[in-house]
Amino acid sequence: MRLKLYVAVGITAAVAAYLLGATPAWSLAIGAVAPILIAAAPHFLRGTVAGLTTPGDDNSEMSGLEFEYYVARIARSCGVPVIMTSVTGDWGVDLIVGRRPERLAIQCKRQSRPVGAGAVQEVVAGAPMQDCTTTMVVTNHEFTPAARKLAELHGCELVGRDELPRLRSTIRRLTEPLSRPEPS
């Protein structure tokens, strides 16, 4: 039954194209492609809708700990080791990413308001305690001007809501081993 429907769609599309002025070759091509497009449309639409509603990508509904797991999952996808610190005594560092000597300290802040300079202070102060050389604060929101100024002063990378889609590439950039000249 379905095959007959696709054949009918193909013939109808070919005849319509010919009647609208397409050459016979183009009419046949349109007649061959039309059933494929009709068959693929439901799968394409289903995939599009599923992509828009994939669980885990909507960080606005996560708890603070779930947000840390979300960031850790992205960091692990970069192929670098990730250590999640304990909830207490972490010196303001939630995740330790990468290998020594260039490890990245990440502070995750899932908040309903802009993140202030305190988060930057915590991760910058805690990084040496966790043997990290670079720092980052990741949030589902934005940063205050004071946080941005302090981060710039200390070289701390800030990843806000708008930069989250590029988090993976940012982590890769910060955890790549520095290229060192060959000893002669």
Side-chain angles (χ1 to χ4, degrees):
M1 177 68 182
R2 212 177 251 186
L3 180 62
K4 289 180 184 178
L5 177 65
Y6 292 141
V7 170
V9 166
I11 292 171
T12 305
V15 169
Y18 184 74
L19 291 176
L20 289 172
T23 64
W26 275 108
S27 297
L28 288 174
I30 292 169
V33 171
I36 295 169
L37 293 176
I38 297 297
H43 300 288
F44 175 77
L45 293 174
R46 191 177 317 118
T48 302
V49 170
L52 292 174
T53 60
T54 302
D57 285 347
D58 183 15
N59 54 52
S60 63
E61 299 298 320
M62 297 179 191
S63 70
L65 192 56
E66 288 171 332
F67 188 66
E68 281 184 38
Y69 286 129
Y70 170 75
V71 174
R73 193 169 51 248
I74 291 173
R76 284 188 186 99
S77 75
C78 295
V80 292
V82 176
I83 300 170
M84 296 188 76
T85 61
S86 62
V87 178
T88 59
D90 63 7
W91 301 98
V93 176
D94 296 321
L95 303 172
I96 301 169
V97 179
R99 294 176 179 85
R100 286 186 175 100
E102 288 97 20
R103 295 199 313 179
L104 171 64
I106 300 179
Q107 170 75 275
C108 301
K109 290 291 185 186
R110 197 257 169 245
Q111 295 185 178
S112 58
R113 61 183 190 281
V115 175
V120 177
Q121 289 173 334
E122 289 175 16
V123 75
V124 167
M129 302 300 289
Q130 300 286 2
D131 198 21
C132 296
T133 55
T134 53
T135 57
M136 175 189 288
V137 180
V138 181
T139 183
N140 64 315
H141 211 280
E142 292 302 320
F143 295 94
T144 64
R148 291 193 180 282
K149 186 172 183 177
L150 188 62
E152 184 179 340
L153 182 68
H154 287 285
C156 178
E157 189 80 24
L158 298 181
V159 178
R161 172 182 47 222
D162 296 337
E163 294 87 20
L164 274 176
R166 295 182 297 277
L167 178 59
R168 184 173 288 110
S169 61
T170 304
I171 290 173
R172 280 189 183 126
R173 177 176 49 85
L174 293 175
T175 58
E176 283 181 352
L178 298 175
S179 55
R180 293 188 173 82
E182 293 287 322
S184 28

